[in-house]
Amino acid sequence: MSALPLTFAEFYPRYLRDHQRRGTRMLHFIGTSLFLVAAVLALVFLRPVLLAWGIGVAYGLAWVGHFFVEHNRPATFQHPWFSLRGDFKLYVDLLRGREKF
């Protein structure tokens, strides 16, 4: 990915191309799921460290997917907010069956 896209709609097809392999999608899905659980637990138990743990685990698993499964560079490095939004959109689309693992 090079120049910053003008809109998320322009970015998202690139995001999907960078997340084609099943292993990458699985690692992203697991990481996002663990983040969501950690975020809820952080709120319930008022333990911010759980939120930090969730963020670390989510990014760690996603980056493993990129470096070792997809063999590309995470979009987070150039487009952090679009990448985060793309991760949640892909997560929801996988849950709804609009995208396949």
Side-chain angles (χ1 to χ4, degrees):
M1 290 189 192
S2 55
L4 181 65
L6 297 176
T7 66
F8 180 73
E10 293 169 341
F11 170 82
Y12 194 61
R14 296 180 195 181
Y15 181 88
L16 290 177
R17 280 193 302 273
D18 287 344
H19 298 79
Q20 291 183 28
R21 295 183 183 217
R22 182 171 192 217
T24 304
R25 288 179 174 218
M26 295 284 288
L27 287 166
H28 274 67
F29 190 85
I30 292 166
T32 301
S33 296
L34 291 173
F35 163 75
L36 293 172
V37 169
V40 168
L41 292 174
L43 287 171
V44 168
F45 295 109
L46 301 175
R47 301 284 310 259
V49 71
L50 293 173
L51 184 61
W53 178 87
I55 292 169
V57 167
Y59 275 108
L61 288 174
W63 291 352
V64 164
H66 284 288
F67 294 129
F68 298 106
V69 178
E70 203 76 45
H71 303 289
N72 62 17
R73 188 171 180 205
T76 303
F77 298 139
Q78 290 184 331
H79 310 291
W81 297 113
F82 280 163
S83 178
L84 181 62
R85 184 174 170 191
D87 185 57
F88 284 115
K89 178 170 176 36
L90 179 58
Y91 184 84
V92 170
D93 287 347
L94 288 167
L95 278 176
R96 290 183 175 172
R98 292 181 181 166
E99 289 286 338
K100 303 289 183 213
F101 283 97

